[in-house]
Amino acid sequence: MTRHRRAAAPQRTDSAQPTDHPSAAWPRRHRRPKSRRARLGRAALALTAATALCAAGTGWYLYQDVFRHIGSSDALDDHAPKSSGGATNILLMGLDSRKDQNGEDLPDSVLDKLHAGSSDIGGYNTNTLILLHVPAGNGKATAFSLPRDDLVDIPGFPKDKIKKAYGLTKARTEERLARQGTTDRRALERAGREAGRRAEIETVRRFLDVPVDHFAEISLAGFYHLADALDGVEVCLKHPVKDRYSGADFHAGRQTLDGAQSLAFVRQRHGLDGGDLDRTRRQQAFLASAGHKLDSADTFTDPARLLRLLDVVKQDVVIDKGWDLASFLRHARNLSSGKVAFSTLPIEGFAKHHGEDVNLVDPDRIRKLVRERTGGGPDRTGQPGAGRGSGSSTGRPNDAEPAPGPPARDERVVEGGGIPCVD
């Protein structure tokens, strides 16, 4: 078949390519040129429209994606007392476990980065317990740290360290279900963790005599991943420290810590004058600094950084099923602006309980302090005296032997919105 060739286009003197559109034959002077301002205006309009569509689509996708994959729990009792007047109490639990959500050991490569020892260490203690009170409106929130070794009443068990409520109940629940014939290891893990969460929440609720409206549980690796998602967290130390147990090795002054260093920072207690109480203040300083970084780095408007942060939430966090995620993100944005005052609940002294070091506490004093700082009235749970220690005002049982040495320092407030220096 013979192909007919098109006639060659006339020779052009400019760099434009030939076209079959009729306008190509018009003299150039007859076409009205577009001004640079008009071209830029149209480009800006198109870019704005595209950005808006992408933002809307991405925001909806992110919300749905996180909602589908974040850990959800039924641990909160629907019939338990709730806060009134628009205030919210949120219990933050840091779980000192070297296992993932299914009870599987974390990979050795992860454990090495965490400098946290083998997966057999740590158990299921809640080594971080913080009650965050968010008042109605945009007032300053208050975060109360509960020292992990406080000797308190645990539902269904004798007095023990407050951190043990989770692990003791988890183990008992799994043993009971195993005797009843449950053999699925993951099913046992899920049921045990749910029971542990309920016990820890109820222990804190009775101890402080306040409602718990929501909770969030973060794994040991969560501190590591959070710092990495934020491209490091800045801290300030009054003195240089070095501790082989946690891996802490820091100079004095301001410094930015990566994920592994951040975990060492919040875990160190050896070599600190206040031991666990100083570690509690380090956790407060880390959270205050992370909140400052969230706000100053525009994390909530930086899509890449926000994606990394949401990945941490999906991987390392469990929240109660009734917590609206959009509301959670709004709270996180407001709280990151420095509207949080951290404090450590006071202890009365130290003692030995079944051979272990414990903190002696005065429940009445603690409840009064919490009520004063949250603007609440007496016995807000509707259960007067719930969880109060028997015997002396410190709640010390008969077998608690006083330990020598001065009592612990009283609580100190760490203001959010900056980089507080700690020991």
Side-chain angles (χ1 to χ4, degrees), residues 52 56 96 107 131-132 166 213 229 298 319 353:
D96 189 32
L131 183 78
L132 178 65
Y166 192 120
D213 304 294
D298 297 325
I319 64 173
H353 178 56

Side-chain angles (χ1 to χ4, degrees), residues 78-257:
D78 293 335
H79 303 291
K82 301 295 181 184
S83 297
S84 59
T88 304
N89 288 336
I90 303 166
L91 181 62
L92 308 177
M93 302 189 297
L95 195 62
D96 189 32
S97 173
R98 278 72 166 166
K99 298 181 183 294
D100 63 16
Q101 297 292 346
N102 296 314
E104 303 292 342
D105 294 344
L106 294 174
D108 290 340
S109 58
V110 175
L111 290 174
D112 289 342
K113 290 180 181 178
L114 301 184
H115 203 91
S118 74
S119 58
D120 296 327
I121 300 174
Y124 286 87
N125 292 328
T126 50
N127 279 353
T128 303
L129 283 171
I130 298 175
L131 183 78
L132 178 65
H133 174 77
V134 183
N138 292 319
K140 175 168 287 190
T142 304
F144 301 98
S145 289
L146 289 77
R148 65 175 189 164
D149 290 339
D150 283 1
L151 186 63
V152 302
D153 288 324
I154 298 177
F157 293 90
K159 280 182 178 292
D160 214 324
K161 297 180 180 182
I162 194 168
K163 69 178 182 180
K164 289 187 175 183
Y166 192 120
L168 288 173
T169 307
K170 177 182 183 295
R172 174 182 286 182
T173 300
E174 292 178 8
E175 290 172 0
R176 175 176 54 81
L177 292 176
R179 287 195 303 268
Q180 294 173 355
T182 302
T183 58
D184 187 318
R185 190 160 50 87
R186 289 196 173 189
L188 289 171
E189 180 74 14
R190 287 192 297 270
R193 287 201 179 195
E194 283 290 83
R197 291 166 186 142
R198 280 191 291 271
E200 195 69 59
I201 292 168
E202 183 64 12
T203 298
V204 172
R205 188 182 71 82
R206 292 189 182 190
F207 177 47
L208 301 185
D209 205 13
V210 296
V212 175
D213 304 294
H214 297 294
F215 84 91
E217 172 190 302
I218 185 168
S219 68
L220 180 68
F223 287 99
Y224 170 87
H225 291 136
L226 175 61
D228 271 0
L230 294 174
D231 296 323
V233 173
E234 187 178 10
V235 300
C236 178
L237 285 172
K238 296 178 181 177
H239 312 284
V241 295
K242 189 168 185 177
D243 170 39
R244 66 183 180 88
Y245 295 100
S246 65
D249 187 1
F250 309 123
H251 59 78
R254 288 175 175 259
Q255 53 207 292
T256 299
L257 309 183

Side-chain angles (χ1 to χ4, degrees), residues 2 8 28 39-40 51 59 119 126 128 134 167 179 222 248 273 278 289 297 302 311 323 352 356 359 380 386 422:
T2 304
R28 291 180 60 85
R39 291 195 303 272
L40 291 176
T51 302
S119 58
T126 50
T128 303
V134 183
R179 287 195 303 268
D273 291 340
D278 278 345
S289 181
D302 182 334
D311 280 339
W323 198 352
K352 287 287 186 180
E356 294 184 330
N359 302 328
R380 292 189 297 160
V422 295

Side-chain angles (χ1 to χ4, degrees), residues 133 368 370-378 380:
H133 174 77
K368 180 181 178 182
V370 171
R371 285 195 297 269
E372 289 173 348
R373 295 210 175 157
T374 60
R380 292 189 297 160

